[in-house]
Amino acid sequence: MGQRWKKYVLGCVLLVFAVLVAWTTGEQVVQAIAQNHTARTLVIDAGHGGFDGGAIGSNGTTEQDINLSIAKRVQLLASFFGVQTVMTREDTNALDYNASRPVRENKVSDIKARQQVVEQTANPVFLSIHLNKFSDAQYHGAQVFYSTNHAGGCALAELLQDALITGCDPTNKRQAKPADQSIYLMKVLDCPAVIVECGFLSNPAEEALLGNPEYHKKLAASIVTGYLRYESGV
Ligand SMILES: [Zn+2]
């Protein structure tokens, strides 16, 4: 690990501690990390990829790149705290892509390949990272949605929402909510499953933040903090 990465990891770890300490005593923080070696595996899903860029901001930033940047930081940091992780994608490509198929078929095969990653993982917790976009530019703030198929989804979503508010934007009043049943993975997965919408590309101020890797670090630290609290029951 190079100097730059060492400094980066240390910075992220300090952020996680700072957010954890906001709720808990020092002793609880140590316990949370010590108890973290469970049999669960965190499946980290960077939304979109390849032919499917997701939402596009007014400055041309595509959602898929930011999702991947945040997801990689979540994986690095979660691994540091002893969490077993799997990534659905680790590069800019979609899953199970075939150029000879229509876009619609590629979308279906991509999402089913993500489902397969989760279903081939023992004791998974599914965490999908996306960005929001809305016609009205005033809306902003990270929000977490959960599958109602497993009670753990709601518990995890509420902890992630709290951590994102504390770690990224204390003025964010959004609450964790059940995901719409039209979202395929939220409908079919039976493990704890959440979608973290990390912010709105349609809000200029938030788009600027989301384009900054330093902010990805803050988002990742908040997400890992929420996950550690979920795993350890702190
Ligand atoms: Zn998305």
Side-chain angles (χ1 to χ4, degrees), residues 47-67 89 107 129-135 197-203 207 210:
H48 311 282
F51 70 97
D52 171 20
I56 300 174
S58 58
N59 68 6
T61 319
T62 59
E63 184 191 345
Q64 62 155 305
D65 297 329
I66 298 175
N67 292 343
R89 71 173 172 104
K107 280 206 177 197
I129 294 172
H130 283 260
L131 304 181
N132 228 328
K133 189 172 180 179
F134 196 63
S135 51
E197 296 277 3
C198 293
F200 284 75
L201 278 179
S202 42
N203 178 273
E207 184 191 6
L210 290 165

Side-chain angles (χ1 to χ4, degrees), residues 9 13 75-83:
V9 171
V13 169
Q75 189 202 24
L76 182 71
L77 199 49
S79 303
F80 182 87
F81 282 99
V83 177

Side-chain angles (χ1 to χ4, degrees), residues 17 100 113 119 148 153 182 188:
F17 272 106
S100 67
E119 290 177 351
T148 52
S182 65
V188 298

Side-chain angles (χ1 to χ4, degrees), residues 96-116:
D96 193 20
Y97 178 71
N98 182 335
S100 67
R101 285 194 300 235
V103 169
R104 193 183 164 81
E105 279 181 31
N106 273 318
K107 280 206 177 197
V108 171
S109 57
D110 173 85
I111 216 74
K112 291 207 165 169
R114 292 173 203 249
Q115 178 185 2
Q116 201 174 22

Side-chain angles (χ1 to χ4, degrees), residues 16-222:
V16 171
F17 272 106
V19 182
L20 273 171
V21 167
W23 285 286
T24 58
T25 65
E27 195 185 338
Q28 282 175 313
V29 172
V30 173
Q31 275 176 11
I33 293 160
Q35 290 167 3
N36 190 36
H37 299 273
T38 65
R40 290 193 188 106
T41 296
L42 182 61
V43 180
I44 304 161
D45 176 55
H48 311 282
F51 70 97
D52 171 20
I56 300 174
S58 58
N59 68 6
T61 319
T62 59
E63 184 191 345
Q64 62 155 305
D65 297 329
I66 298 175
N67 292 343
L68 184 62
S69 169
I70 299 165
K72 283 183 167 178
R73 285 166 165 80
V74 169
Q75 189 202 24
L76 182 71
L77 199 49
S79 303
F80 182 87
F81 282 99
V83 177
Q84 293 182 74
T85 63
V86 169
M87 298 276 282
T88 56
R89 71 173 172 104
E90 294 189 80
D91 57 33
T92 57
N93 298 314
L95 279 72
D96 193 20
Y97 178 71
N98 182 335
S100 67
R101 285 194 300 235
V103 169
R104 193 183 164 81
E105 279 181 31
N106 273 318
K107 280 206 177 197
V108 171
S109 57
D110 173 85
I111 216 74
K112 291 207 165 169
R114 292 173 203 249
Q115 178 185 2
Q116 201 174 22
V117 172
V118 181
E119 290 177 351
Q120 287 173 348
T121 301
N123 210 0
V125 174
F126 181 71
L127 180 119
S128 187
I129 294 172
H130 283 260
L131 304 181
N132 228 328
K133 189 172 180 179
F134 196 63
S135 51
D136 188 335
Q138 70 171 302
Y139 294 102
H140 63 92
Q143 187 163 21
V144 187
F145 296 88
Y146 55 89
S147 163
T148 52
N149 295 344
H150 188 295
C154 177
L156 173 59
E158 286 177 351
L159 290 167
L160 289 169
Q161 186 72 52
D162 278 359
L164 285 160
I165 290 169
T166 307
C168 293
D169 180 8
T171 68
N172 180 2
K173 301 275 184 277
R174 294 186 178 278
Q175 294 181 341
K177 283 188 179 165
D180 195 296
Q181 278 292 299
S182 65
I183 301 171
Y184 179 79
L185 290 174
M186 294 294 105
K187 192 173 73 179
V188 298
L189 294 179
D190 55 12
C191 64
V194 297
I195 296 177
V196 181
E197 296 277 3
C198 293
F200 284 75
L201 278 179
S202 42
N203 178 273
E206 201 156 53
E207 184 191 6
L209 275 177
L210 290 165
N212 183 349
E214 279 300 305
Y215 191 63
H216 304 172
K217 189 161 83 178
K218 270 179 124 172
L219 286 163
S222 302

